[in-house]
Amino acid sequence: MTSISLGAFSGPSKALGQFFAMSLDTIVGMFRPPFAWREFLLQTWFVARVSLVPTMMLSIPFTVLTVFILNILLVEIGAADASGAGAALGAVTQIGPVVTVLVVAGAGATAMCADLGARTIREELDALRVMGVDPIRALVVPRVQAATLVALLLSSVVTLIGLTGGFIFSVFIQHVTPGAFAAGLTLLVGLPEVITSVVKAALFGFAASLIACYKGTHVGGGPAGVGNAVNETVVFSFMALFFINVITTAVGVQASS
């Protein structure tokens, strides 16, 4: 009975250890030359290309829904002019980073996992090792750097789109005074909240890309295994999203207080 229970935990424990080992190698490889600049630029353009339009389209309904719910409450208590504060707080602290990682994990990270998984089952990674090329530094590091950078940039785009959408919806649909909306933007949001949002987005992109690269480089079972790895990438990325979101939010609130 004991051997069965130990065997049930040995697989996940081994996978977790391999993930942290690969993560450590990736972090070390980020700061040790030579750098794979060409692969980094190609992956940055690829992730940005597949993520930009979905991110913009997803940010608008998220922000409008948040502003709509907040404005209903504010109108009930006679404080509709404070809608700018709620829109800024939601767009900067939560909607920007969360929408970004949803798209990066759902589009960019899955594409990374599928690409690396296909290379793995074709034994291209083993061929690189035979030639003396480290797959971590040649393939994983530039992808992680690219996803982190793109997530950081997309978070800013989502925040701007969210604030613009919130302004249009509040002013033209719910008839909030434009000056009052603009004046409330900095009421609850300052530099600490912006820094927390930037850190969140970078950590989200970093974690999602690490998970994608790990699942892609440790895939097994042929083409079916690649499909399973892609699905697992999305699930594990979303789990990491909520964990990182809670930790960074708590730290940011504590630091700004």
Side-chain angles (χ1 to χ4, degrees):
M1 188 71 177
T2 305
S3 61
I4 296 176
S5 60
L6 291 177
F9 288 102
S10 61
S13 300
K14 181 181 178 181
L16 188 62
Q18 291 174 341
F19 173 75
F20 281 113
M22 190 204 74
S23 301
L24 182 60
D25 291 340
T26 302
I27 295 173
V28 172
M30 288 181 176
F31 303 98
R32 292 180 59 185
F35 301 108
W37 292 108
R38 178 181 175 83
E39 188 70 16
F40 167 72
L41 294 176
L42 289 175
Q43 292 301 318
T44 300
W45 166 244
F46 170 74
V47 177
R49 178 169 52 86
V50 301
S51 303
L52 181 58
V53 175
T55 300
M56 295 172 63
M57 293 297 100
L58 191 60
S59 63
I60 296 174
F62 264 70
T63 308
V64 169
L65 180 61
T66 303
V67 173
F68 177 74
I69 295 174
L70 286 174
N71 284 3
I72 290 178
L73 176 61
L74 292 173
V75 169
E76 291 293 330
I77 62 176
D81 290 341
S83 60
L89 185 65
V92 173
T93 62
Q94 295 297 328
I95 296 176
V98 171
V99 169
T100 299
V101 76
L102 289 177
V103 177
V104 170
T110 53
M112 289 182 190
C113 179
D115 176 50
L116 291 176
R119 292 171 183 257
T120 301
I121 64 175
R122 292 197 303 262
E123 300 181 350
E124 292 184 17
L125 272 63
D126 295 332
L128 289 176
R129 295 187 182 97
V130 170
M131 293 186 295
V133 179
D134 185 7
I136 299 296
R137 300 184 67 178
L139 299 176
V140 174
V141 170
R143 283 167 170 77
V144 172
Q145 291 175 327
T148 304
L149 177 61
V150 172
L152 191 63
L153 298 177
L154 286 180
S155 177
S156 303
V157 174
V158 172
T159 301
L160 291 175
I161 294 176
L163 293 177
T164 304
F167 175 83
I168 294 174
F169 185 80
S170 297
V171 172
F172 295 101
I173 304 299
Q174 296 186 316
H175 307 293
V176 176
T177 306
F181 183 92
L185 292 177
T186 57
L187 186 62
L188 299 176
V189 176
L191 183 60
E193 287 75 20
V194 174
I195 294 176
T196 302
S197 174
V198 169
V199 172
K200 273 186 187 181
L203 289 176
F204 289 160
F206 181 76
S209 57
L210 275 179
I211 293 172
C213 291
Y214 170 76
K215 299 304 295 184
T217 55
H218 291 78
V219 70
V226 176
N228 292 332
V230 170
N231 294 333
E232 292 172 358
T233 296
V234 177
V235 175
F236 290 143
S237 296
F238 287 172
M239 292 172 61
L241 154 69
F242 294 110
F243 177 76
I244 295 173
N245 190 32
V246 171
I247 298 298
T248 53
T249 301
V251 173
V253 170
Q254 187 66 27
S256 60
S257 61

